[in-house]
Amino acid sequence: MKDGSWIYIQRGMKKILGWIEKNPSCICQELMYQTYFFYTIDKSRSKEPILIYYKDIMPVDSHLLDIDYQALQLVALDRNDFSWFRDLGYKRML
């Protein structure tokens, strides 16, 4: 997994969408024990990143739910990235 990859993690009955960054202090040779910092814009979660293991990662499907596109578009607006916002809008219509 690359830094910035979008993933889901399972917390209870809910899947939470976010992105990851590799934990630079982890020097694991075994992929299953590699740790990542997980970031999300989910309002019910902390704004601080949490530490997760590779085994907790669920890849994002090529087509996201409508609510996921809305969340990503809000991130794009917060970053003033109007090109990304438009690209997400086109993908959302597919």
Side-chain angles (χ1 to χ4, degrees), residues 28-88:
C28 303
Q29 299 299 328
E30 181 64 38
L31 184 62
M32 288 299 261
Y33 298 107
Q34 175 62 51
T35 57
Y36 296 87
F37 290 107
F38 175 77
Y39 299 84
T40 184
I41 58 169
D42 187 314
K43 292 178 180 165
S44 67
R45 308 301 298 181
S46 168
K47 298 226 183 254
E48 295 299 316
I50 61 171
L51 202 58
I52 62 168
Y53 285 103
Y54 176 82
K55 63 183 178 66
D56 296 326
I57 292 173
M58 292 182 284
V60 172
D61 295 333
S62 60
H63 183 75
L64 301 173
L65 297 175
D66 196 48
I67 194 167
D68 297 330
Y69 281 111
Q70 289 173 348
L72 291 172
Q73 284 183 310
L74 289 175
V75 172
L77 288 176
D78 284 344
R79 295 174 183 247
N80 291 323
D81 191 336
F82 300 108
S83 175
W84 185 28
F85 179 85
R86 282 191 303 275
D87 289 345
L88 288 166

Side-chain angles (χ1 to χ4, degrees), residues 5-9 16-20 38-41 60:
S5 294
W6 287 91
I7 64 155
Y8 285 112
I9 61 170
I16 301 170
L17 178 67
W19 65 96
I20 57 170
F38 175 77
Y39 299 84
T40 184
I41 58 169
V60 172

